[in-house]
Amino acid sequence: MLSLIDRLEKEKILTAAEFVTLLENRDEARDYLFARARAVRDSVFGQDIFIRGLLEFTNYCKNDCLYCGIRRGNRAVSRYRLTPEEILERCALGFELGFRTFVLQGGEDPFFTAPKVASIVREIKSAFPGVALTLSLGERSRETYELWRKAGADRYLLRHETRNEEHYSALHPPEMSLASRLSCLFALKEIGYQVGCGFMVGSPSQTLANLAEDLLFVKELSPHMVGIGPFIPHRDTPFRDCPAGDVELTLFLLGLIRLMEPLALLPATTALGSLDPLGREKGVMAGANVLMPILTPPGAREKYLLYDNKICVGDAAETCRFCVQRRMEGIGRVINVSRGDYPGFAPQSP
Ligand code: SAH
């Protein structure tokens, strides 16, 4: 096992069969993998952990993803949208708290047309010069992605969710397709965003072979960010009775991705922290280097529930900001409050 990890570190890729072997034998390989992943990360980023202020600005969604708590079919959700003024206010608070990256995330809400989002992007970028702006608004046309990039958006997060066709169909309604998701990701990269793909670990019917396909896809896309977290069931979705993903398996995948993509920005996700009280610390110990504390205002926070038992829902943004700092200092890490671009990626070059 350990020689496979050495080879992964050196060659940055293995075959699907080798990945499956490693995943099957993760108990034996974990300590060594995490030590190597930390060494690789520290050689690039030192002790630094980057933070992003996550602003969940709408929970309206036209999609009906079977796993997601804010899916269109969930009538129990009380829906909200922040106004542009509210978004700007939260960014002002975030700026004071030291955030230099804001992530605007939401459901796929047609109310936020391409020009509306572009104007919000312009306002944020002109009110807070020097900040990086990440969008996570799902699948849009290439023209829309281009417009937002020209308006000043720097990064885009769009998890591919799974690289396997059959598995993708098991997680999504028939009107959604893996092909369309993948073409969005490649378009985003061509347009010049720093791009993040990613997937849930332990989503219903996922196999270790599927995870190997996800790893090979990460290599193919060569993204700047990779968001992975455990699947957690939501009570008002068709997957309510499915078991949550495994924390150890999630950590193991973080470690593998760190060896494959030494420069990647890899968050220890809120979902990981929701399933295990020390999940984010463990994520960092397995190779992650980004945290995304929630900046969403009270009144909205408790309505952006993609899964059950989400942490930080009742907390103030200030609390979350300093909570993650304390947690990181507790494991010998330092919060870096710069934009935290992908190494070598020139800031603000649309
Ligand atoms: N609408 C945006 C944002 C989606 S929410 C988009 O399509 O990109 C961000 C991520 O949360 C999703 O990509 C999915 O991987 C994750 N997510 C959704 N439901 C989840 C659940 N039940 N458990 C864990 N993660 C979930």
Side-chain angles (χ1 to χ4, degrees):
M1 264 347 101
L2 305 193
S3 66
L4 274 183
I5 292 173
D6 286 337
R7 192 144 59 75
L8 178 61
E9 180 177 345
K10 204 157 123 233
E11 295 172 10
K12 316 265 186 293
I13 190 68
L14 294 174
T15 65
E18 288 168 332
F19 276 129
V20 170
T21 303
L22 267 181
L23 292 169
E24 283 169 345
N25 293 281
R26 58 188 182 274
D27 289 350
E28 177 191 328
R30 75 182 287 281
D31 291 348
Y32 186 66
L33 172 64
F34 296 165
R36 291 318 308 152
R38 287 196 296 273
V40 166
R41 184 217 29 222
D42 294 356
S43 74
V44 180
F45 298 99
Q47 301 301 100
D48 291 0
I49 302 297
F50 298 110
I51 50 170
R52 304 5 183 142
L54 179 63
L55 195 44
E56 300 148 329
F57 71 98
T58 172
N59 71 352
Y60 282 84
C61 195
K62 69 175 169 62
N63 285 343
D64 219 16
C65 307
L66 278 76
Y67 44 84
C68 185
I70 62 168
R71 66 201 299 266
R72 149 189 104 212
N74 183 5
R75 300 281 187 79
V77 181
S78 149
R79 305 281 171 175
Y80 72 88
R81 289 184 180 110
L82 301 188
T83 63
E85 293 71 34
E86 287 171 318
I87 293 172
L88 265 287
E89 272 170 32
R90 293 313 279 185
C91 290
L93 171 64
F95 194 86
E96 265 178 55
L97 293 173
F99 291 110
R100 292 298 177 269
T101 292
F102 300 122
V103 181
L104 289 188
Q105 188 180 83
E108 298 204 20
D109 181 358
F111 173 86
F112 285 98
T113 58
K116 263 191 200 139
V117 172
S119 114
I120 294 169
V121 168
R122 273 185 225 104
E123 285 191 50
I124 294 175
K125 295 289 290 203
S126 74
F128 309 102
V131 303
L133 192 55
T134 305
L135 299 178
S136 178
L137 312 187
E139 296 180 25
R140 298 282 185 127
S141 69
R142 189 187 175 101
E143 292 68 37
T144 297
Y145 290 150
E146 279 168 351
L147 176 72
W148 294 345
R149 176 84 185 110
K150 288 205 187 86
D154 301 276
R155 311 187 188 129
Y156 205 100
L157 298 176
L158 182 68
R159 290 187 178 180
H160 64 284
E161 312 297 357
T162 172
R163 179 59 187 79
N164 180 279
E165 292 275 0
E166 215 180 305
H167 188 217
Y168 194 91
S169 310
L171 300 180
H172 298 96
E175 66 272 18
M176 290 178 72
S177 80
L178 177 61
S180 143
R181 175 105 358 182
L182 299 184
S183 81
C184 286
L185 280 165
F186 286 105
L188 287 161
K189 229 187 144 193
E190 276 172 28
I191 293 166
Y193 285 95
Q194 294 171 58
V195 174
C197 66
F199 52 92
M200 291 176 286
V201 177
S203 58
S205 79
Q206 182 182 64
T207 62
L208 295 183
N210 293 154
L211 289 169
E213 292 176 272
D214 289 321
L215 293 171
L216 293 179
F217 174 66
V218 166
K219 184 73 345 179
E220 183 191 346
L221 178 67
S222 185
H224 309 90
M225 307 171 279
V226 185
I228 68 170
F231 161 76
I232 305 175
H234 185 292
R235 68 174 76 84
D236 297 316
T237 63
F239 292 157
R240 62 181 66 86
D241 296 322
C242 296
D246 183 74
V247 169
E248 276 295 325
L249 180 55
T250 306
L251 298 173
F252 197 83
L253 284 153
L254 279 171
L256 294 177
I257 290 171
R258 172 58 64 203
L259 293 191
M260 292 167 63
E261 298 290 337
L263 307 185
L265 297 158
L266 267 185
T269 58
T270 304
L272 190 54
S274 296
L275 214 47
D276 181 326
L278 293 176
R280 286 168 297 173
E281 286 88 336
K282 291 177 183 173
V284 167
M285 295 309 281
N289 66 334
V290 172
L291 292 169
M292 300 169 64
I294 302 173
L295 195 52
T296 312
R301 260 181 196 249
E302 57 278 14
K303 296 178 182 157
Y304 196 84
L305 300 180
L306 309 181
Y307 45 81
D308 290 336
N309 306 315
K310 185 182 176 191
I311 49 169
C312 310
V313 162
D315 295 337
E318 293 84 342
T319 309
C320 290
R321 163 68 179 84
F322 294 106
C323 169
V324 300
Q325 175 154 349
R326 229 177 325 102
R327 285 170 180 271
M328 290 303 107
E329 287 168 0
I331 54 170
R333 298 281 137 186
V334 177
I335 298 291
N336 178 320
V337 294
S338 73
R339 286 169 49 117
D341 287 289
Y342 186 82
F345 211 100
Q348 290 166 328
S349 55

